[in-house]
Amino acid sequence: MDHFYVIGLKKRRSWLIIGFAFFTALLFWTQKDIVFSVFSNDRPVALSKGNADEPNIALTFNISWGEEKALDILDQLKNEQVQATFFVSGEWAERHPEILEKITEGQHELGMLGYRYKSYLDQEIDQVRKDLLYARDIFKKLGYEEVNLLRTPNGHFNEEIIELAEGLEFEVIHWNLNPNDWQNPGTTKIVDTVMKDTTNGDIILLHASDAAKQTADALKTIIPGLKNKGFQFVSISELINQAHAETKIIE
């Protein structure tokens, strides 16, 4: 049976960190046929990995400000004929509708980072609701009626936030491979991390904001390198659909 991997949320962040470390170790030990969840099937979850039995992987890019690097990255993806998923803030989308159009014209998938790029853990739940609804309205006004993939700002969330998002018909998307390209650790470092650590079903977090100055150059090596390893680049929606997923519990 095929599965995708999910992260369940606990309300106490310390227990989340401990549980995350333990089950991640277990995940890599067993390597496949496990769905990463710490709650039962009726509890809220966030997708963090696809099917470990298939060579499909998803490149994802966050954008919250700037415009130059986004265009460079779109050029790289076009040259390599690779589809990616872009998570953009509503505030950024308002300011750069022309780049948003280039993203969708390139057959890339569109997801959102809410409206303002501010951690949801630093806001009251009513503020989070307003942010999500306002972001949805902005995307609709820009002509994008169904933007249902959500990545929370900074990747910060808890059970209450996931429940809210699910109630608003968003699907929360996390990641399981992060080379921290926004820190500009060097093109070689970004490339080495992705090439060394990528496995079947991975969701790779990268950034297309102008702060990520080395990502576009890193892609020149990453994309052909991963292709040579036999990986296939798909959108997040394709990763979900190809998983034919069924969540399970790790005891």
Side-chain angles (χ1 to χ4, degrees):
M1 180 178 291
D2 297 332
H3 303 291
F4 63 63
Y5 293 73
V6 296
I7 297 177
L9 279 302
K10 289 190 176 183
K11 294 182 179 179
R12 294 187 61 182
R13 296 173 65 184
S14 60
W15 283 108
L16 174 62
I17 294 170
I18 294 170
F20 185 87
F22 174 77
F23 288 118
T24 300
L26 179 61
L27 171 64
F28 283 109
W29 180 63
T30 55
Q31 295 186 2
K32 66 177 184 176
D33 292 333
I34 295 175
V35 173
F36 183 34
S37 175
V38 296
F39 284 134
S40 61
N41 289 357
D42 60 349
R43 302 297 291 275
V45 293
L47 176 68
S48 69
K49 185 176 173 70
N51 185 356
D53 292 328
E54 300 292 338
N56 303 309
I57 58 176
L59 278 181
T60 67
F61 296 89
N62 287 6
I63 313 179
S64 57
W65 71 276
E67 58 186 41
E68 294 181 5
K69 298 305 178 184
L71 295 174
D72 291 343
I73 286 170
L74 286 170
D75 286 342
Q76 290 296 325
L77 296 173
K78 182 178 180 180
N79 291 340
E80 293 290 344
Q81 296 185 325
V82 164
Q83 185 184 27
T85 301
F86 285 80
F87 291 90
V88 307
S89 68
E91 190 173 30
W92 181 88
E94 274 187 311
R95 295 177 178 177
H96 304 287
E98 71 288 350
I99 303 179
L100 203 62
E101 187 174 352
K102 287 181 180 293
I103 290 172
T104 55
E105 284 179 349
Q107 303 302 307
H108 302 296
E109 187 167 41
L110 189 62
M112 71 163 66
L113 294 167
Y115 181 75
R116 294 183 59 201
Y117 196 78
K118 179 182 178 181
S119 174
Y120 285 167
L121 295 180
D122 294 334
Q123 303 181 54
E124 297 294 332
I125 196 65
D126 285 344
Q127 292 176 300
V128 176
R129 180 188 298 275
K130 290 177 181 178
D131 184 85
L132 290 172
L133 291 175
Y134 188 55
R136 174 174 280 167
D137 287 344
I138 292 299
F139 282 102
K140 285 183 177 180
K141 289 177 181 178
L142 292 171
Y144 305 94
E145 292 289 334
E146 297 184 4
V147 182
N148 298 320
L149 298 179
L150 170 67
R151 175 169 284 165
T152 57
N154 303 117
H156 294 170
F157 50 77
N158 57 23
E159 182 177 347
E160 186 178 31
I161 290 168
I162 301 298
E163 287 178 341
L164 169 63
E166 289 184 352
L168 295 175
E169 299 184 345
F170 289 106
E171 184 150 15
V172 181
I173 308 299
H174 201 58
W175 61 83
N176 70 305
L177 179 55
N178 178 11
N180 293 308
D181 60 325
W182 63 276
Q183 294 180 345
N184 298 306
T187 301
T188 300
K189 177 67 173 177
I190 297 170
V191 171
D192 288 349
T193 299
V194 175
M195 294 303 299
K196 175 184 176 183
D197 296 341
T198 298
T199 59
N200 288 352
D202 280 356
I203 298 175
I204 303 170
L205 170 64
L206 294 168
H207 295 78
S209 292
D210 282 359
K213 302 180 185 300
Q214 300 160 346
T215 305
D217 284 340
L219 289 174
K220 296 176 182 177
T221 302
I222 288 172
I223 294 176
L226 291 178
K227 283 183 177 180
N228 288 338
K229 285 190 170 187
F231 292 110
Q232 300 176 18
F233 296 94
V234 300
S235 68
I236 288 293
S237 290
E238 288 179 282
L239 201 68
I240 295 171
N241 292 337
Q242 291 171 8
H244 303 294
E246 178 177 307
T247 59
K248 297 191 301 185
I249 302 302
I250 296 175
E251 298 296 340

